[in-house]
Amino acid sequence: MTDTRARRTVASIAVSAALACAGACTAGEPPADAPPVTSTPPRPTAPSSGPPALTGPSADALRAVERATGRAGSARVESTTVMGRELSLEAEGALGWRDDGLTGTLTITYTGGTTAETMRRLGTTAMEARYLPDAYYARVGDEFAERVGGRHWIKYVYEDLEDLGGGAGAGFADQMRNTTPNQAVKLLLTAGDVRRVGEETTRGRRTTHWSGTVGTETAQTVDIWVDDRDLLVKKVERGRTKTGELTQTAYYSDYGVTVSAQRPPAGDTTDFKELLRSQAG
């Protein structure tokens, strides 16, 4: 492999890892096939300013869910995400959300898609992701590490991603803050057609199922299942992207669990922005 091709491969894998870390947290529209190295992970559908604010008993019930879930501050998370042909993955771990931002650790397993194929070519079928308020870190395999001076962690500073691609990363830090279950309720509160579907049993727990459609140009459906403590038990987001169907299913449990995420050793960490510079050189 030529030096130029090797650098491009390294940058492409770094982008793929970023896409996986973001996709494990929240559903959103991914970039087109084979994204350029200056692209950023997908942003979730922003709450639309079009529909009027939801009022009435449904709004009151959902705002109670938003408050209770927000106060809980943390939970264990299990999710599956499919982004068309681009990426399929499973994630498991614990996430915390406080005023200073998102924290936690997820183990991400690639199950399909072109991004997964790219990662597998360099010996990575699963990855640990650590989320901190200012950045997140993705652990890559030994084969990839050999290409970046033996370093196993890629650091993604949110503000750096905001500056990439002529503004393509605008709002990325907000995306990572919007990955928590109480934010999913805020998203549903923007739906003009939100409705109470009924009572259901979810993972052995009695829950109330709510559903609605959010977004305008790229509308997607959001469904949540809430227990008798006004805490989310399950969330499903569905939509369409340029590469096909977008679906994410997430389960939440053990609210209030202690969450910690340590920064990896500096000597075993390389910066995403530096990888892009080396690709350009």
Side-chain angles (χ1 to χ4, degrees), residues 19-280:
L19 176 64
C21 289
C25 282
T26 185
E29 183 168 348
D33 299 335
V37 297
T38 55
S39 69
T40 58
R43 292 195 296 274
T45 303
S48 171
S49 59
L54 185 66
T55 59
S58 294
D60 294 341
L62 289 175
R63 290 194 178 97
V65 175
E66 178 190 348
R67 290 192 298 270
T69 305
R71 285 194 302 266
S74 65
R76 297 195 187 280
V77 182
E78 301 172 52
S79 69
T80 59
T81 304
V82 178
M83 297 180 179
R85 299 183 302 273
E86 187 75 27
L87 177 66
S88 299
L89 59 83
E90 298 175 352
E92 184 174 359
L95 293 175
W97 48 94
R98 296 295 183 188
D99 292 339
D100 59 347
L102 182 72
T103 59
T105 302
L106 294 179
T107 298
I108 300 168
T109 303
Y110 302 95
T111 57
T114 55
T115 295
E117 293 170 5
T118 302
M119 300 298 283
R120 285 181 182 135
R121 282 198 292 270
L122 283 182
T124 299
T125 57
M127 176 177 66
E128 179 182 343
R130 298 182 185 178
Y131 302 88
L132 288 102
D134 63 328
Y136 66 95
Y137 298 79
R139 194 184 194 284
V140 294
D142 291 338
E143 190 171 346
F144 180 91
E146 290 177 3
R147 301 171 184 267
V148 289
R151 297 178 179 182
H152 292 85
W153 292 90
I154 304 174
K155 178 181 180 180
Y156 299 89
V157 176
Y158 302 138
E159 281 69 19
D160 287 348
L161 291 170
E162 298 267 358
D163 296 337
L164 292 177
F172 185 74
D174 285 340
Q175 172 189 343
M176 299 309 294
R177 284 191 289 269
N178 290 343
T179 62
T180 56
N182 61 315
Q183 294 294 334
V185 184
K186 287 184 178 180
L187 190 63
L188 189 56
L189 279 164
T190 69
D193 61 350
V194 67
R195 63 192 177 93
R196 183 181 182 276
V197 179
E199 303 293 325
E200 301 177 15
T201 299
T202 306
R203 289 198 163 182
R205 296 159 69 180
R206 189 70 172 172
T207 60
T208 302
H209 178 186
W210 295 87
S211 182
T213 306
V214 300
T216 52
E217 296 180 1
T218 56
Q220 67 183 55
T221 60
V222 177
D223 290 77
I224 63 172
W225 287 256
V226 181
D227 68 11
D228 58 5
R229 297 180 299 162
D230 287 332
L231 297 174
L232 259 69
V233 176
K234 179 182 178 182
K235 178 197 72 172
V236 176
E237 297 183 39
R238 297 184 183 91
R240 287 199 60 84
T241 74
K242 295 176 182 178
T243 62
E245 295 288 339
L246 165 68
T247 304
Q248 184 186 68
T249 301
Y251 292 92
Y252 304 97
S253 62
D254 201 7
Y255 278 91
V257 65
T258 299
V259 174
S260 64
Q262 301 296 321
R263 296 184 190 276
D268 198 25
T269 302
T270 188
D271 189 271
F272 177 60
K273 209 167 185 180
E274 292 300 321
L275 289 180
L276 294 190
R277 288 197 189 103
S278 68
Q279 182 274 335

